[in-house]
Amino acid sequence: MKAAIITIGDELLIGQVVDTNSAWLAEKLTELGFTITTIVTIPDEATAIKAAISSLLDKNNFIITTGGLGPTSDDITKQTLADLYGGKLVFHEESLRNIEHLFSKRGLPVSETNKKQALVPSSCLPLVNRYGTAPGMLFETKDHILVTLPGVPFEMKGIFNDELLPFLNKRLQHQKLSRVTINTFGIPESFLSDKLADFEKELKANDVKIAYLPSPSGIRIRLTSKSKDKLTFFAEELQKRLGEHVFGLNDDTLPKIVSERLRKEKKVLAVAESCTGGYLSHLITKIPGSSDIFNGGIVAYSNEIKHRVLGVPVSIMETHGAVSKETVNAMLDGVFKVYNSDIAVAISGIAGPTGATPGKPVGTTWIGVASKTKRVVKLYTFGNLREINIQRASYTALFEVLKLL
């Protein structure tokens, strides 16, 4: 089955709103066995909507759109689809009751504009929206199915899961794909590809697809197959080949895995950050229950704070610089003194774009992790982009904590 995704909205085309819907839908439809042929963004214009749908019908059995279903005059998708598929706009009683209930809970009156949200083409199957006011719509012909959903992400996801997914599972006959993602860190993408060259040939021979998804938080390796047995076998083989570079599967993240490991070993962490500016602490505290494993952190951005709060000797920073192995070692000592934690992390580097000195280009970063009995301080040279350097340094620190544990 081939599918296309259309996102509708001028706000998407001018960059005012970032389109996350198409990525989410593509993932869900791929899991169901669809092959995504096209993802396109178009304006809130009747001619653009009709042209996009018409052009995609020839090569797709399924088209899904998001956006253009609001109560304002610029959202004209419903009328356009009524023109395209026939019928007239009629009130969907369940959607109208839902709108009245939502406004009643908020203590607000329901205006005529709000009521119009319950209007749908008589030629469609309405998809109830329990998360907002605009229902989804499903149009079916002998050749294809078209579904249109609201553009608000949590409404779109809710209707998809509650209304559309059961329909697709029941109505469409196709084989679902199985997929697993192996999450890695500490090995560049090019090195990873070279290391797995022979492995990729085995995958191809067994009709298992591989994809590399790099980011500052690591490289995710996605395997996809119609055979669950083959997928399980090759996923296990891949983990064996990559060893310590694998930290988790599927939705696992380094902050999550490190937090779980600390909790399991009943240890607490504390950090001293310079160039990362608190980003490492942010990653840790995003995880629910982080108070069990995180004592605290300090952003020791200036040399004065490194000295006054963490106790880093001025002589060390004057002799070796704030970005040095010696300074990071002293910062680790300071973390233990201030927070009395089981594990300490210290980071000092040059995030950029300025701050480089002879022998220390932008991206130069020292990262130290320590327990009461073991200590590792390493030099890393990242790139020239400030935001990426901050992220890479923070995730690298987490990976070093995981290895230390």
Side-chain angles (χ1 to χ4, degrees):
M1 295 286 288
K2 295 182 178 180
I5 299 168
I6 303 172
T7 56
I8 303 170
D10 296 335
E11 68 277 8
L12 301 173
L13 289 170
I14 65 175
Q16 190 175 32
V17 174
V18 176
D19 170 29
T20 59
N21 287 351
S22 58
W24 190 87
L25 286 169
E27 182 176 12
K28 293 300 179 183
L29 293 175
T30 300
E31 288 174 358
L32 288 168
F34 285 97
T35 298
I36 309 300
T37 67
T38 307
I39 297 176
V40 63
T41 300
I42 62 175
D44 270 313
E45 296 175 358
T47 54
I49 295 170
K50 289 179 180 178
I53 292 173
S54 298
S55 68
L56 294 171
L57 288 179
D58 290 341
K59 58 180 181 179
N60 294 282
N61 316 95
F62 184 82
I63 299 174
I64 188 164
T65 78
T66 69
L69 300 180
T72 53
S73 59
D74 60 328
D75 292 310
I76 42 78
T77 301
K78 284 191 288 190
Q79 183 58 58
T80 303
L81 293 176
D83 296 340
L84 197 60
Y85 284 90
K88 61 182 180 178
L89 293 181
V90 297
F91 278 106
H92 180 234
E93 292 300 325
E94 186 175 357
S95 293
L96 183 57
R97 289 195 300 270
N98 182 58
I99 292 170
E100 292 171 343
H101 176 67
L102 286 174
F103 276 78
S104 175
K105 282 185 9 180
R106 299 170 188 167
L108 298 172
V110 182
S111 68
E112 289 303 312
T113 299
N114 298 133
K115 289 181 180 179
K116 287 181 180 178
Q117 288 283 79
L119 286 171
V120 297
S122 57
S123 51
C124 82
L125 172 67
L127 303 175
V128 179
N129 182 357
R130 297 176 179 83
Y131 308 87
T133 55
M137 298 170 285
L138 187 150
F139 300 84
E140 185 173 10
T141 71
K142 65 177 183 179
D143 299 316
H144 74 274
I145 292 173
L146 181 138
V147 173
T148 184
L149 301 176
V152 180
F154 75 88
E155 294 184 32
M156 179 273 295
K157 293 175 183 178
I159 299 175
F160 185 97
N161 290 325
D162 295 348
E163 300 284 318
L164 183 58
L165 188 57
F167 174 90
L168 292 175
N169 282 328
K170 181 179 179 180
R171 194 66 174 277
L172 301 177
Q173 299 299 317
H174 53 263
Q175 186 175 357
K176 291 185 180 180
L177 295 174
S178 296
R179 186 169 62 183
V180 64
T181 303
I182 293 88
N183 300 319
T184 73
F185 198 88
I187 180 169
E189 184 179 9
S190 58
F191 286 43
L192 197 55
S193 182
D194 290 344
K195 187 179 182 70
L196 297 178
D198 292 337
F199 182 71
E200 288 188 25
K201 293 178 182 178
E202 292 181 48
L203 293 176
K204 187 174 183 180
N206 285 275
D207 199 26
V208 178
K209 294 183 179 180
I210 185 170
Y212 297 92
L213 309 170
S215 76
S217 62
I219 299 174
R220 294 179 295 155
I221 306 174
R222 188 184 66 226
L223 300 181
T224 306
S225 175
K226 293 181 179 179
S227 168
K228 287 188 177 180
D229 291 338
K230 286 183 180 181
L231 193 66
T232 299
F233 172 80
F234 284 110
E236 291 175 352
E237 180 64 23
L238 180 58
Q239 291 176 75
K240 291 176 186 176
R241 294 190 181 213
L242 298 181
E244 68 170 11
H245 292 293
V246 176
F247 67 82
L249 301 175
N250 299 322
D251 295 329
D252 288 337
T253 65
L254 269 172
K256 175 187 173 185
I257 295 298
V258 170
S259 296
E260 290 175 351
R261 187 66 178 272
L262 287 165
R263 187 171 290 106
K264 181 180 178 181
E265 299 193 12
K266 295 181 170 58
K267 295 184 184 297
V268 293
L269 173 72
V271 305
E273 304 181 61
S274 183
C275 63
T276 49
Y279 189 75
L280 175 57
S281 297
H282 164 70
L283 291 177
I284 296 167
T285 55
K286 277 176 63 177
I287 305 299
S290 57
S291 57
D292 295 339
I293 54 91
F294 186 60
N295 269 1
I298 181 171
V299 179
Y301 213 69
S302 71
N303 289 355
E304 178 189 356
I305 297 302
K306 289 182 179 70
H307 170 65
R308 185 154 56 86
V309 178
L310 294 174
V312 178
V314 173
S315 59
I316 284 181
M317 290 185 283
E318 289 179 344
T319 303
H320 302 283
V323 181
S324 66
K325 180 178 183 179
E326 292 78 8
T327 294
V328 166
N329 259 314
M331 289 170 69
L332 289 171
D333 293 336
V335 171
F336 283 126
K337 290 176 183 177
V338 173
Y339 293 103
N340 192 31
S341 60
D342 300 299
I343 306 293
V345 176
I347 304 173
S348 186
I350 304 170
T354 60
T357 60
K360 294 180 182 180
V362 169
T364 300
T365 308
W366 284 93
I367 298 174
V369 298
S371 66
K372 297 296 175 61
T373 59
K374 185 178 180 182
R375 180 173 298 211
V376 178
V377 180
K378 292 182 181 179
L379 170 65
Y380 295 87
T381 303
F382 300 121
N384 296 317
L385 299 176
R386 182 180 183 83
E387 185 176 350
I388 300 300
N389 289 341
I390 290 170
Q391 293 177 39
R392 282 181 175 169
S394 299
Y395 281 105
T396 299
L398 286 171
F399 190 61
E400 289 299 327
V401 170
L402 187 61
K403 291 198 292 184
L404 185 75
L405 292 169

